[in-house]
Amino acid sequence: MLTKTLEQTYFVIDFDSTFTKVEALDVLGEISLAGHRDREAILEKIKIITDRGMSGEISLSKSIELRLELLQAHRDHLPALIETLKTEISDSFQRNRGFLAEHADQIYIVSSGFKEFIVPIVTSLGIKEENVFANTFVYDAVGNIVSCDCENPLSTDKGKVKLIRDLKLEGDIYVIGDGYTDYEIRESGLANRFYAFTENVLRPKVIEKADHVAPSLDEFLYHNKLSRSQSYPKSRIKVLLLENVHPVAVKLFEGEGFNVEILKGALDEDELIEKIRDVSILGIRSKTQVTSRVLEHANKLMCVGAFCIGTNQIDLKTCTEKGIAVFNAPYSNTRSVVEMAIGEIIMLVRNIVPKSNKMHEGIWDKSAKNSFEVRGKKLGLVGYGNIGTQLSVVAEALGMEVYFYDIVDKLALGNARKCKTLDELLAISDFLSLHTDGRASNKNLIGAREFSLMKEGVIFLNLSRGHIVDIAALVDAVKSGHVAGAGIDVFPYEPKTNNEEFINELRGLPNVILSPHIGGSTEEAQENIGNFVPGKLLEYINNGSTYGSVNFPEVQLPLLKDSHRLLHIHANVPGILAKINAIFANYHINIQGQYLKTTEQVGYVITDIAKDYSDEVVNELRNIDNTIKFRLLY
């Protein structure tokens, strides 16, 4: 931790694999050796030499000498190197360019690399050229890089120690780097602390020497209570993703620097209770139940992402009471479900499945009996939301007449017609497809009575929620022939993993298509969901925006600029905003922007203020009566 005033503190930062994600000489080799027949082998040798030098296994001077000899580089290769390095600046340095520019006088780049490419990169983030200390290249008469300036102390062993000693910096010195030569500054007694930087590379021999491991610059700034781009280092944010969510989601969270754990299957309540401790972001699909009991153990949970349409598997009331925002993907797999519904209607009305099964047994049953076209038939939709409306449009394009019933008054698309009651819809439909939500009141919405009201020979689909249909009643209707064919994708109980046997009374029935809850499981849909849900979660974590939340007041916020953002979630009772603003007034704080949105249960106040304020302000805001959660964004 900083022991003197910030003005008396100096930050010594390494360049390769710290300020940038890569070792610059490795990249230079990729450029200079382009087209060389032994390029890959030489690059591997260069990398090994780099790692040995950074870990202290060979001397720095030897490492530089060996690499320059292998590089076969020329002055003309440097512009391409610089352009590449500009795209390889470490993410946490990019995020914290404000800190770098604000404290440019106190930041020194000390590297065994070379000024020719370091200066253009670091100065682009506000660091002063005169504070850059590194080697310089030596060229031959035609511009080939042949050596480095041997008079420069940084070209020799313990060169960083010599340089820092010569600089005679009066104050605390904190060193951030990934190599053994960075640790040597601390070992010599010239630095107060050495932070092993592991955002880009992890060197065990360096980590074991460190005073503190910094997975990012955010962590270093957080550890020393310095201004940073985030109120909390992202490496400390734990993400738990269940049920085999799409890899693109994993990549998005890892790209933010989060600590991500992935599990392929669902977890039962006790398993999730054990896993959810210290988790900040939870990602699930339809099988995992996020109950009130689970949430009681979620001590750090900020938000939940349902990588699916429904959220009935989540206790939204308890989430709201605990200030946990919930997001889902209401549109991302709509087309996939619609295409499956159309495909199953055609397969069922043509008796394709029984005929296919017979063919596999060697039976040739060429017949048009009980095989019909969909054109001119009446499709009934129970539920006219995102999926129902799109299915309506596609079905009309195939020549079907579309009827629908929804408890909410919906505008009909195309020539679709709304029925006044569910009973009316059941009585006129040739094909019936369910697209309702998963609320508890919809349990057994379709039972023996409803099947009796349907046309003889109806085609029945449920691609929505398993508990909506009384399975025993459906079995009786299929066995009696009243339902001529059924396509069922969802069930009251579903196996938690692919290793568990699926047990259901519908197994073995004629002209019944059973599918393992895959209505939305296409590569396109899962990738869309994998992008959409993390996008919403990251907007909330990084910016405070709740647009798209199913349980929070929806607020779309502007990007945070030159201020701090205070996020206050509270029970929706009168007077909270007045108390918040009274605290700002008492401390003479200028409000740069303020946003308020409420639901019946909670209020959400977002306030952007100038950066200069005391810790007492934060403490008082946290302690306002009826506060549920309070968070800062820098």
Side-chain angles (χ1 to χ4, degrees), residues 43-231:
L43 288 175
E44 183 59 27
K45 286 182 181 178
I46 292 172
K47 185 179 184 305
I48 291 171
I49 293 167
T50 299
D51 289 340
R52 292 183 67 197
M54 290 297 101
S55 298
E57 292 180 29
I58 61 174
S59 68
L60 174 64
S61 56
K62 190 66 175 177
S63 170
I64 295 174
E65 175 190 339
L66 291 174
R67 285 183 288 169
L68 289 180
E69 184 179 329
L70 290 168
L71 281 171
Q72 301 178 35
H74 189 276
R75 190 196 306 270
D76 292 344
H77 293 132
L78 296 180
L81 171 63
I82 292 166
E83 288 306 308
T84 301
L85 293 179
K86 285 179 180 177
T87 68
E88 296 288 351
I89 297 173
S90 295
D91 294 337
S92 64
F93 278 80
Q94 289 273 28
R95 286 195 297 270
N96 290 287
R97 57 174 61 218
F99 172 82
L100 299 175
E102 184 179 349
H103 301 285
D105 289 335
Q106 301 148 264
I107 294 174
Y108 288 77
I109 303 298
V110 179
S111 171
S112 303
F114 292 82
K115 274 191 173 184
E116 285 88 342
F117 54 76
I118 294 177
V119 168
I121 304 304
V122 301
T123 54
S124 70
L125 266 65
I127 289 170
K128 294 184 174 182
E129 182 175 353
E130 59 265 31
N131 285 3
V132 177
F133 295 89
N135 286 300
T136 53
F137 288 123
V138 173
Y139 308 90
D140 66 14
V142 294
N144 293 310
I145 298 173
V146 293
S147 184
C148 62
D149 177 12
C150 295
E151 299 298 316
N152 189 325
L154 291 170
S155 69
T156 63
D157 293 338
K158 296 193 181 292
K160 291 187 177 181
V161 173
K162 297 171 188 173
L163 179 81
I164 298 298
R165 185 173 285 122
D166 291 343
L167 285 175
K168 297 180 180 178
L169 301 174
E170 295 183 3
D172 290 342
I173 297 176
Y174 292 82
V175 179
I176 309 166
D178 65 283
Y180 194 84
T181 57
D182 303 305
Y183 160 68
E184 287 178 335
I185 303 172
R186 171 76 166 99
E187 183 187 38
S188 70
L190 292 171
N192 297 68
R193 295 176 73 85
F194 166 58
Y195 288 78
F197 190 79
T198 60
E199 182 172 332
N200 305 309
V201 65
L202 193 151
R203 307 187 197 278
K205 290 186 178 180
V206 177
I207 289 174
E208 67 184 21
K209 299 290 187 181
D211 294 299
H212 191 85
V213 176
S216 66
L217 185 58
D218 304 295
E219 171 68 24
F220 169 80
L221 299 177
Y222 178 82
H223 190 253
N224 288 291
K225 298 183 178 179
L226 297 169
S227 176
R228 56 201 178 277
S229 67
Q230 307 164 55
S231 59

Side-chain angles (χ1 to χ4, degrees), residues 245-301:
V245 302
H246 197 278
V248 70
V250 179
K251 186 176 180 181
L252 286 168
F253 286 124
E254 288 181 338
E256 288 284 323
F258 294 158
N259 178 8
V260 183
E261 182 178 3
I262 312 147
L263 296 176
K264 288 187 176 180
L267 296 178
D268 63 27
E269 189 176 54
D270 288 336
E271 291 170 329
L272 186 54
I273 285 171
E274 187 62 33
K275 278 286 183 183
I276 206 166
R277 290 184 176 89
D278 298 325
V279 167
S280 299
I281 302 172
L282 175 65
I284 63 169
R285 292 174 74 180
S286 56
K287 294 178 185 176
T288 301
Q289 300 296 310
V290 184
T291 64
S292 176
R293 182 166 167 254
V294 167
L295 293 167
E296 286 299 324
H297 294 81
N299 56 314
K300 291 186 179 179
L301 193 62

Side-chain angles (χ1 to χ4, degrees), residues 24-37:
L25 290 187
D26 293 355
V27 179
L28 181 57
E30 293 175 3
I31 296 168
S32 65
L33 295 168
H36 194 291
R37 66 179 184 178

Side-chain angles (χ1 to χ4, degrees), residues 19 36 48 56 105 140 163 172 197 214 225 304 325 349 361 387 390 418 441 497 512 529 574 589-590 600 604:
F19 203 98
H36 194 291
I48 291 171
D105 289 335
D140 66 14
L163 179 81
D172 290 342
F197 190 79
K225 298 183 178 179
V304 178
V349 81
E361 297 169 3
I387 294 173
Q390 191 169 143
K418 182 177 180 179
S441 59
T497 70
V512 173
I529 293 172
I589 292 173
N590 184 39
E600 186 177 340
Y604 187 34

